[in-house]
Each structure stands twice: as structure tokens, then as C-alpha cells.
Amino acid sequence: MRSCQPDPVTEITGEDLAAAHYNVGILHRIRGDFGAALASLEQGRAANPDNGIIRSAIREAISAREVAREFTRAEQDALAMVRERLGEAGDVLTNDLVIGMFQDGLDDEIIIQVIRTSEVGFDVSPPTLGELQRLGLSPAVISAMVEAAGRWVP
């Protein structure tokens, strides 16, 4: 473990600290932890205020945080719309409702999340599965429908 210890003779500069904080900040950003990313990047900027790369990374992390927030809001709005439709349909998710979500342009992840968290009344007979595929539903969505149909006994 001695090799992991800093050399007591080598001086750690502000540039070294800035680079370390930058690297940690980028790792946090990749993980989607924008608060921790910005905190690390700000420490890097404090260690080396003239570092343009760190200033750019801060701007990019702020932008990515806003995009993630907007995506979350859009996802929540889409789920609320689907829940409203389910309420109108008697709280049972059917093939027609899944087709409607698909035709409305909802992402597969959202459709699958709704399938996994709803009571379902799917027709997953082979001819119907072929029709769902011809309509353009992804294999992931069709698979989630088949799996959910096995969970819920009408």
C-alpha cells in the first residue's frame, strides 16, 4: 500500500487538485448525480480559477441537470396522462390503451413502467402478438405485455 501514498517530496499544486476535482466531478456527472458533480467541479475551480476546462464542465453539468429535470417532468406528465386514461378505462390496462400510448409517441420505458405497475387485461394470443408487432410496438413492450398477462389473472 505504500505505492498509494503521496510522495512527501512532491508538491501538490492547485492544478493537481483542480484536475482531481474535475475527474471526480465528471464521474458524478456520468452517474447523474449533478449536485455532487457541481460541488466537485466548484472545488476544482477554487483550486485553479483560471482553468477554462473546469468552467466549461460546470456549464455543461448545469445544462445536463436542467435537461434531466425537464425529462423527469415530461415523464411524470406522460405517466399522469396514462393514469388518467386508465381511470377512464376502468383501471385495467388493455391492448388498446398500450397501442394508444405507442401512437401518442410515449417512450418504451414509460409504456413498460405503466405495464409493470398496472392491473392488465391483455390479449396475448399469437395472432394478436403478430398484430402488435405489425403496428410497430417494440419487442420490449410486447414482452412486457406477455409477462404482465401472466401475472394478472382476469
Side-chain angles (χ1 to χ4, degrees):
M1 282 312 225
R2 255 181 139 244
S3 63
C4 294
Q5 301 299 317
D7 182 353
V9 178
T10 304
E11 183 179 328
I12 298 175
T13 67
E15 287 180 12
D16 296 328
L17 286 174
H21 286 297
Y22 170 82
N23 289 334
V24 170
I26 295 301
L27 289 173
H28 283 300
R29 181 175 165 222
I30 290 168
R31 291 183 46 228
D33 187 349
F34 300 108
L38 288 167
S40 292
L41 292 169
E42 287 293 350
Q43 288 178 315
R45 181 166 60 179
N48 186 357
D50 297 327
N51 189 316
I53 293 172
I54 292 176
R55 286 195 311 272
S56 292
I58 290 170
R59 284 191 299 275
E60 290 170 5
I62 290 169
S63 177
R65 179 183 62 190
E66 294 308 310
V67 167
R69 285 179 180 165
E70 186 59 35
F71 178 78
T72 299
R73 278 191 290 274
E75 185 176 49
Q76 289 169 346
D77 290 347
L79 285 172
M81 178 188 72
V82 169
R83 293 285 177 220
E84 184 179 310
R85 283 188 183 173
L86 277 176
E88 295 168 1
D91 293 325
V92 175
L93 190 61
T94 63
N95 291 35
D96 288 339
L97 289 170
V98 171
I99 292 167
M101 288 188 287
F102 167 73
Q103 290 172 339
D104 286 343
L106 292 180
D107 288 338
D108 283 356
E109 292 94 21
I110 294 172
I111 296 172
I112 291 168
Q113 183 177 0
V114 171
I115 291 169
R116 288 182 178 153
T117 60
S118 300
E119 183 174 347
V120 301
F122 293 139
D123 174 0
V124 291
S125 63
T128 302
L129 294 177
E131 181 60 25
L132 294 172
Q133 186 174 11
R134 279 188 291 284
L135 287 171
L137 273 71
S138 72
V141 170
I142 295 171
S143 178
M145 291 174 71
V146 170
E147 181 181 325
R151 270 197 330 259
W152 299 97
V153 180

PDB file of all heavy atoms in Angstrom, residues 18 22 26 29 38 40-46 48-63:
ATOM      1  N   ALA A  18      -7.127  20.729  -8.841  1.00  0.00           N
ATOM      2  CA  ALA A  18      -8.185  21.044  -9.800  1.00  0.00           C
ATOM      3  C   ALA A  18      -8.463  19.841 -10.704  1.00  0.00           C
ATOM      4  O   ALA A  18      -9.628  19.497 -10.955  1.00  0.00           O
ATOM      5  CB  ALA A  18      -7.803  22.261 -10.627  1.00  0.00           C
ATOM      6  N   TYR A  22     -11.890  17.838 -10.900  1.00  0.00           N
ATOM      7  CA  TYR A  22     -12.524  17.753 -12.220  1.00  0.00           C
ATOM      8  C   TYR A  22     -12.897  16.304 -12.531  1.00  0.00           C
ATOM      9  O   TYR A  22     -14.023  16.007 -12.934  1.00  0.00           O
ATOM     10  CB  TYR A  22     -11.576  18.310 -13.287  1.00  0.00           C
ATOM     11  CG  TYR A  22     -12.036  18.040 -14.704  1.00  0.00           C
ATOM     12  CD1 TYR A  22     -12.984  18.856 -15.306  1.00  0.00           C
ATOM     13  CD2 TYR A  22     -11.537  16.956 -15.423  1.00  0.00           C
ATOM     14  CE1 TYR A  22     -13.418  18.607 -16.609  1.00  0.00           C
ATOM     15  CE2 TYR A  22     -11.961  16.706 -16.723  1.00  0.00           C
ATOM     16  CZ  TYR A  22     -12.897  17.537 -17.306  1.00  0.00           C
ATOM     17  OH  TYR A  22     -13.323  17.282 -18.580  1.00  0.00           O
ATOM     18  N   ILE A  26     -16.636  14.847 -13.075  1.00  0.00           N
ATOM     19  CA  ILE A  26     -17.086  14.194 -14.309  1.00  0.00           C
ATOM     20  C   ILE A  26     -17.672  12.821 -14.002  1.00  0.00           C
ATOM     21  O   ILE A  26     -18.712  12.443 -14.566  1.00  0.00           O
ATOM     22  CB  ILE A  26     -15.928  14.095 -15.331  1.00  0.00           C
ATOM     23  CG1 ILE A  26     -15.493  15.499 -15.786  1.00  0.00           C
ATOM     24  CG2 ILE A  26     -16.318  13.222 -16.513  1.00  0.00           C
ATOM     25  CD1 ILE A  26     -16.597  16.322 -16.440  1.00  0.00           C
ATOM     26  N   ARG A  29     -21.095  13.344 -12.692  1.00  0.00           N
ATOM     27  CA  ARG A  29     -21.999  13.751 -13.773  1.00  0.00           C
ATOM     28  C   ARG A  29     -22.427  12.554 -14.611  1.00  0.00           C
ATOM     29  O   ARG A  29     -23.593  12.415 -14.968  1.00  0.00           O
ATOM     30  CB  ARG A  29     -21.330  14.796 -14.654  1.00  0.00           C
ATOM     31  CG  ARG A  29     -22.248  15.246 -15.768  1.00  0.00           C
ATOM     32  CD  ARG A  29     -21.648  16.368 -16.578  1.00  0.00           C
ATOM     33  NE  ARG A  29     -22.436  16.468 -17.797  1.00  0.00           N
ATOM     34  CZ  ARG A  29     -21.947  16.655 -18.984  1.00  0.00           C
ATOM     35  NH1 ARG A  29     -20.652  16.805 -19.139  1.00  0.00           N
ATOM     36  NH2 ARG A  29     -22.717  16.722 -20.030  1.00  0.00           N
ATOM     37  N   LEU A  38     -21.362  19.140  -9.461  1.00  0.00           N
ATOM     38  CA  LEU A  38     -21.121  20.583  -9.367  1.00  0.00           C
ATOM     39  C   LEU A  38     -20.274  20.936  -8.151  1.00  0.00           C
ATOM     40  O   LEU A  38     -19.404  21.809  -8.235  1.00  0.00           O
ATOM     41  CB  LEU A  38     -22.450  21.338  -9.354  1.00  0.00           C
ATOM     42  CG  LEU A  38     -23.161  21.360 -10.704  1.00  0.00           C
ATOM     43  CD1 LEU A  38     -24.597  21.842 -10.560  1.00  0.00           C
ATOM     44  CD2 LEU A  38     -22.403  22.229 -11.692  1.00  0.00           C
ATOM     45  N   SER A  40     -17.925  19.083  -6.752  1.00  0.00           N
ATOM     46  CA  SER A  40     -16.530  18.731  -7.067  1.00  0.00           C
ATOM     47  C   SER A  40     -15.921  19.705  -8.073  1.00  0.00           C
ATOM     48  O   SER A  40     -14.776  20.140  -7.920  1.00  0.00           O
ATOM     49  CB  SER A  40     -16.452  17.311  -7.614  1.00  0.00           C
ATOM     50  OG  SER A  40     -16.769  16.376  -6.619  1.00  0.00           O
ATOM     51  N   LEU A  41     -16.701  20.044  -9.094  1.00  0.00           N
ATOM     52  CA  LEU A  41     -16.184  20.972 -10.103  1.00  0.00           C
ATOM     53  C   LEU A  41     -15.932  22.355  -9.510  1.00  0.00           C
ATOM     54  O   LEU A  41     -14.952  23.018  -9.864  1.00  0.00           O
ATOM     55  CB  LEU A  41     -17.147  21.042 -11.285  1.00  0.00           C
ATOM     56  CG  LEU A  41     -17.243  19.753 -12.118  1.00  0.00           C
ATOM     57  CD1 LEU A  41     -18.414  19.827 -13.088  1.00  0.00           C
ATOM     58  CD2 LEU A  41     -15.940  19.475 -12.850  1.00  0.00           C
ATOM     59  N   GLU A  42     -16.794  22.788  -8.601  1.00  0.00           N
ATOM     60  CA  GLU A  42     -16.576  24.085  -7.945  1.00  0.00           C
ATOM     61  C   GLU A  42     -15.305  24.050  -7.092  1.00  0.00           C
ATOM     62  O   GLU A  42     -14.576  25.039  -7.026  1.00  0.00           O
ATOM     63  CB  GLU A  42     -17.788  24.474  -7.090  1.00  0.00           C
ATOM     64  CG  GLU A  42     -19.000  24.893  -7.886  1.00  0.00           C
ATOM     65  CD  GLU A  42     -18.817  26.197  -8.657  1.00  0.00           C
ATOM     66  OE1 GLU A  42     -17.824  26.932  -8.460  1.00  0.00           O
ATOM     67  OE2 GLU A  42     -19.689  26.481  -9.499  1.00  0.00           O
ATOM     68  N   GLN A  43     -15.025  22.913  -6.455  1.00  0.00           N
ATOM     69  CA  GLN A  43     -13.774  22.784  -5.702  1.00  0.00           C
ATOM     70  C   GLN A  43     -12.580  22.863  -6.649  1.00  0.00           C
ATOM     71  O   GLN A  43     -11.552  23.455  -6.320  1.00  0.00           O
ATOM     72  CB  GLN A  43     -13.749  21.477  -4.914  1.00  0.00           C
ATOM     73  CG  GLN A  43     -14.682  21.479  -3.723  1.00  0.00           C
ATOM     74  CD  GLN A  43     -14.668  20.151  -2.999  1.00  0.00           C
ATOM     75  OE1 GLN A  43     -14.720  19.085  -3.611  1.00  0.00           O
ATOM     76  NE2 GLN A  43     -14.593  20.219  -1.674  1.00  0.00           N
ATOM     77  N   GLY A  44     -12.741  22.256  -7.836  1.00  0.00           N
ATOM     78  CA  GLY A  44     -11.677  22.339  -8.834  1.00  0.00           C
ATOM     79  C   GLY A  44     -11.458  23.764  -9.296  1.00  0.00           C
ATOM     80  O   GLY A  44     -10.322  24.214  -9.451  1.00  0.00           O
ATOM     81  N   ARG A  45     -12.571  24.497  -9.497  1.00  0.00           N
ATOM     82  CA  ARG A  45     -12.437  25.895  -9.914  1.00  0.00           C
ATOM     83  C   ARG A  45     -11.783  26.721  -8.810  1.00  0.00           C
ATOM     84  O   ARG A  45     -10.976  27.611  -9.098  1.00  0.00           O
ATOM     85  CB  ARG A  45     -13.797  26.477 -10.286  1.00  0.00           C
ATOM     86  CG  ARG A  45     -13.668  27.923 -10.755  1.00  0.00           C
ATOM     87  CD  ARG A  45     -14.874  28.457 -11.426  1.00  0.00           C
ATOM     88  NE  ARG A  45     -16.054  28.442 -10.568  1.00  0.00           N
ATOM     89  CZ  ARG A  45     -17.232  28.902 -10.962  1.00  0.00           C
ATOM     90  NH1 ARG A  45     -17.384  29.375 -12.183  1.00  0.00           N
ATOM     91  NH2 ARG A  45     -18.254  28.871 -10.155  1.00  0.00           N
ATOM     92  N   ALA A  46     -12.112  26.439  -7.545  1.00  0.00           N
ATOM     93  CA  ALA A  46     -11.494  27.169  -6.439  1.00  0.00           C
ATOM     94  C   ALA A  46      -9.983  26.911  -6.389  1.00  0.00           C
ATOM     95  O   ALA A  46      -9.207  27.811  -6.078  1.00  0.00           O
ATOM     96  CB  ALA A  46     -12.144  26.775  -5.110  1.00  0.00           C
ATOM     97  N   ASN A  48      -8.109  26.169  -8.987  1.00  0.00           N
ATOM     98  CA  ASN A  48      -7.457  26.726 -10.169  1.00  0.00           C
ATOM     99  C   ASN A  48      -8.492  27.561 -10.934  1.00  0.00           C
ATOM    100  O   ASN A  48      -9.080  27.096 -11.908  1.00  0.00           O
ATOM    101  CB  ASN A  48      -6.893  25.600 -11.042  1.00  0.00           C
ATOM    102  CG  ASN A  48      -6.077  26.114 -12.199  1.00  0.00           C
ATOM    103  OD1 ASN A  48      -5.963  27.315 -12.418  1.00  0.00           O
ATOM    104  ND2 ASN A  48      -5.519  25.193 -12.973  1.00  0.00           N
ATOM    105  N   PRO A  49      -8.724  28.800 -10.499  1.00  0.00           N
ATOM    106  CA  PRO A  49      -9.787  29.632 -11.067  1.00  0.00           C
ATOM    107  C   PRO A  49      -9.635  29.928 -12.557  1.00  0.00           C
ATOM    108  O   PRO A  49     -10.625  30.242 -13.224  1.00  0.00           O
ATOM    109  CB  PRO A  49      -9.703  30.930 -10.263  1.00  0.00           C
ATOM    110  CG  PRO A  49      -8.903  30.618  -9.058  1.00  0.00           C
ATOM    111  CD  PRO A  49      -8.022  29.459  -9.404  1.00  0.00           C
ATOM    112  N   ASP A  50      -8.435  29.826 -13.092  1.00  0.00           N
ATOM    113  CA  ASP A  50      -8.221  30.153 -14.499  1.00  0.00           C
ATOM    114  C   ASP A  50      -8.417  28.966 -15.437  1.00  0.00           C
ATOM    115  O   ASP A  50      -8.227  29.100 -16.641  1.00  0.00           O
ATOM    116  CB  ASP A  50      -6.802  30.711 -14.679  1.00  0.00           C
ATOM    117  CG  ASP A  50      -6.607  32.008 -13.926  1.00  0.00           C
ATOM    118  OD1 ASP A  50      -7.587  32.772 -13.806  1.00  0.00           O
ATOM    119  OD2 ASP A  50      -5.486  32.248 -13.441  1.00  0.00           O
ATOM    120  N   ASN A  51      -8.818  27.827 -14.900  1.00  0.00           N
ATOM    121  CA  ASN A  51      -8.958  26.617 -15.705  1.00  0.00           C
ATOM    122  C   ASN A  51     -10.261  26.667 -16.505  1.00  0.00           C
ATOM    123  O   ASN A  51     -11.354  26.485 -15.978  1.00  0.00           O
ATOM    124  CB  ASN A  51      -8.929  25.380 -14.798  1.00  0.00           C
ATOM    125  CG  ASN A  51      -8.855  24.092 -15.580  1.00  0.00           C
ATOM    126  OD1 ASN A  51      -9.554  23.924 -16.569  1.00  0.00           O
ATOM    127  ND2 ASN A  51      -8.015  23.184 -15.119  1.00  0.00           N
ATOM    128  N   GLY A  52     -10.133  26.910 -17.797  1.00  0.00           N
ATOM    129  CA  GLY A  52     -11.292  27.020 -18.677  1.00  0.00           C
ATOM    130  C   GLY A  52     -12.026  25.709 -18.872  1.00  0.00           C
ATOM    131  O   GLY A  52     -13.236  25.688 -19.089  1.00  0.00           O
ATOM    132  N   ILE A  53     -11.309  24.613 -18.790  1.00  0.00           N
ATOM    133  CA  ILE A  53     -11.952  23.304 -18.954  1.00  0.00           C
ATOM    134  C   ILE A  53     -12.929  23.064 -17.803  1.00  0.00           C
ATOM    135  O   ILE A  53     -14.042  22.584 -18.011  1.00  0.00           O
ATOM    136  CB  ILE A  53     -10.886  22.189 -19.038  1.00  0.00           C
ATOM    137  CG1 ILE A  53     -10.073  22.347 -20.319  1.00  0.00           C
ATOM    138  CG2 ILE A  53     -11.528  20.811 -18.954  1.00  0.00           C
ATOM    139  CD1 ILE A  53      -8.874  21.436 -20.416  1.00  0.00           C
ATOM    140  N   ILE A  54     -12.531  23.420 -16.610  1.00  0.00           N
ATOM    141  CA  ILE A  54     -13.420  23.235 -15.458  1.00  0.00           C
ATOM    142  C   ILE A  54     -14.620  24.170 -15.570  1.00  0.00           C
ATOM    143  O   ILE A  54     -15.756  23.762 -15.300  1.00  0.00           O
ATOM    144  CB  ILE A  54     -12.656  23.444 -14.131  1.00  0.00           C
ATOM    145  CG1 ILE A  54     -11.640  22.311 -13.949  1.00  0.00           C
ATOM    146  CG2 ILE A  54     -13.625  23.513 -12.954  1.00  0.00           C
ATOM    147  CD1 ILE A  54     -10.757  22.439 -12.735  1.00  0.00           C
ATOM    148  N   ARG A  55     -14.400  25.400 -15.993  1.00  0.00           N
ATOM    149  CA  ARG A  55     -15.541  26.325 -16.162  1.00  0.00           C
ATOM    150  C   ARG A  55     -16.526  25.773 -17.185  1.00  0.00           C
ATOM    151  O   ARG A  55     -17.739  25.818 -16.994  1.00  0.00           O
ATOM    152  CB  ARG A  55     -15.041  27.714 -16.563  1.00  0.00           C
ATOM    153  CG  ARG A  55     -14.396  28.482 -15.405  1.00  0.00           C
ATOM    154  CD  ARG A  55     -14.228  29.972 -15.712  1.00  0.00           C
ATOM    155  NE  ARG A  55     -13.603  30.265 -16.997  1.00  0.00           N
ATOM    156  CZ  ARG A  55     -12.292  30.364 -17.191  1.00  0.00           C
ATOM    157  NH1 ARG A  55     -11.459  30.205 -16.181  1.00  0.00           N
ATOM    158  NH2 ARG A  55     -11.817  30.651 -18.386  1.00  0.00           N
ATOM    159  N   SER A  56     -16.012  25.221 -18.268  1.00  0.00           N
ATOM    160  CA  SER A  56     -16.893  24.612 -19.283  1.00  0.00           C
ATOM    161  C   SER A  56     -17.630  23.407 -18.715  1.00  0.00           C
ATOM    162  O   SER A  56     -18.817  23.211 -18.988  1.00  0.00           O
ATOM    163  CB  SER A  56     -16.079  24.166 -20.497  1.00  0.00           C
ATOM    164  OG  SER A  56     -15.563  25.270 -21.178  1.00  0.00           O
ATOM    165  N   ALA A  57     -16.941  22.603 -17.931  1.00  0.00           N
ATOM    166  CA  ALA A  57     -17.572  21.415 -17.337  1.00  0.00           C
ATOM    167  C   ALA A  57     -18.691  21.821 -16.375  1.00  0.00           C
ATOM    168  O   ALA A  57     -19.721  21.142 -16.294  1.00  0.00           O
ATOM    169  CB  ALA A  57     -16.525  20.568 -16.618  1.00  0.00           C
ATOM    170  N   ILE A  58     -18.507  22.929 -15.668  1.00  0.00           N
ATOM    171  CA  ILE A  58     -19.557  23.424 -14.768  1.00  0.00           C
ATOM    172  C   ILE A  58     -20.786  23.823 -15.577  1.00  0.00           C
ATOM    173  O   ILE A  58     -21.921  23.458 -15.237  1.00  0.00           O
ATOM    174  CB  ILE A  58     -19.034  24.593 -13.904  1.00  0.00           C
ATOM    175  CG1 ILE A  58     -18.016  24.078 -12.884  1.00  0.00           C
ATOM    176  CG2 ILE A  58     -20.190  25.317 -13.207  1.00  0.00           C
ATOM    177  CD1 ILE A  58     -17.256  25.154 -12.152  1.00  0.00           C
ATOM    178  N   ARG A  59     -20.567  24.561 -16.670  1.00  0.00           N
ATOM    179  CA  ARG A  59     -21.699  24.957 -17.523  1.00  0.00           C
ATOM    180  C   ARG A  59     -22.416  23.734 -18.082  1.00  0.00           C
ATOM    181  O   ARG A  59     -23.643  23.673 -18.120  1.00  0.00           O
ATOM    182  CB  ARG A  59     -21.220  25.867 -18.660  1.00  0.00           C
ATOM    183  CG  ARG A  59     -20.914  27.287 -18.221  1.00  0.00           C
ATOM    184  CD  ARG A  59     -20.709  28.217 -19.413  1.00  0.00           C
ATOM    185  NE  ARG A  59     -19.599  27.826 -20.278  1.00  0.00           N
ATOM    186  CZ  ARG A  59     -18.327  28.154 -20.069  1.00  0.00           C
ATOM    187  NH1 ARG A  59     -17.997  28.891 -19.028  1.00  0.00           N
ATOM    188  NH2 ARG A  59     -17.389  27.768 -20.917  1.00  0.00           N
ATOM    189  N   GLU A  60     -21.642  22.748 -18.523  1.00  0.00           N
ATOM    190  CA  GLU A  60     -22.235  21.530 -19.084  1.00  0.00           C
ATOM    191  C   GLU A  60     -23.003  20.744 -18.026  1.00  0.00           C
ATOM    192  O   GLU A  60     -24.069  20.191 -18.311  1.00  0.00           O
ATOM    193  CB  GLU A  60     -21.153  20.659 -19.708  1.00  0.00           C
ATOM    194  CG  GLU A  60     -20.569  21.260 -20.979  1.00  0.00           C
ATOM    195  CD  GLU A  60     -19.331  20.535 -21.463  1.00  0.00           C
ATOM    196  OE1 GLU A  60     -18.963  19.490 -20.864  1.00  0.00           O
ATOM    197  OE2 GLU A  60     -18.722  21.014 -22.429  1.00  0.00           O
ATOM    198  N   ALA A  61     -22.492  20.695 -16.796  1.00  0.00           N
ATOM    199  CA  ALA A  61     -23.184  19.973 -15.722  1.00  0.00           C
ATOM    200  C   ALA A  61     -24.487  20.675 -15.362  1.00  0.00           C
ATOM    201  O   ALA A  61     -25.512  20.021 -15.119  1.00  0.00           O
ATOM    202  CB  ALA A  61     -22.278  19.849 -14.493  1.00  0.00           C
ATOM    203  N   ILE A  62     -24.478  22.000 -15.344  1.00  0.00           N
ATOM    204  CA  ILE A  62     -25.707  22.747 -15.067  1.00  0.00           C
ATOM    205  C   ILE A  62     -26.727  22.490 -16.169  1.00  0.00           C
ATOM    206  O   ILE A  62     -27.913  22.247 -15.902  1.00  0.00           O
ATOM    207  CB  ILE A  62     -25.401  24.255 -14.917  1.00  0.00           C
ATOM    208  CG1 ILE A  62     -24.622  24.507 -13.624  1.00  0.00           C
ATOM    209  CG2 ILE A  62     -26.695  25.085 -14.947  1.00  0.00           C
ATOM    210  CD1 ILE A  62     -24.049  25.910 -13.508  1.00  0.00           C
ATOM    211  N   SER A  63     -26.285  22.498 -17.404  1.00  0.00           N
ATOM    212  CA  SER A  63     -27.173  22.237 -18.528  1.00  0.00           C
ATOM    213  C   SER A  63     -27.725  20.814 -18.463  1.00  0.00           C
ATOM    214  O   SER A  63     -28.923  20.588 -18.666  1.00  0.00           O
ATOM    215  CB  SER A  63     -26.420  22.461 -19.838  1.00  0.00           C
ATOM    216  OG  SER A  63     -27.229  22.141 -20.931  1.00  0.00           O
TER     217      SER A  63
END
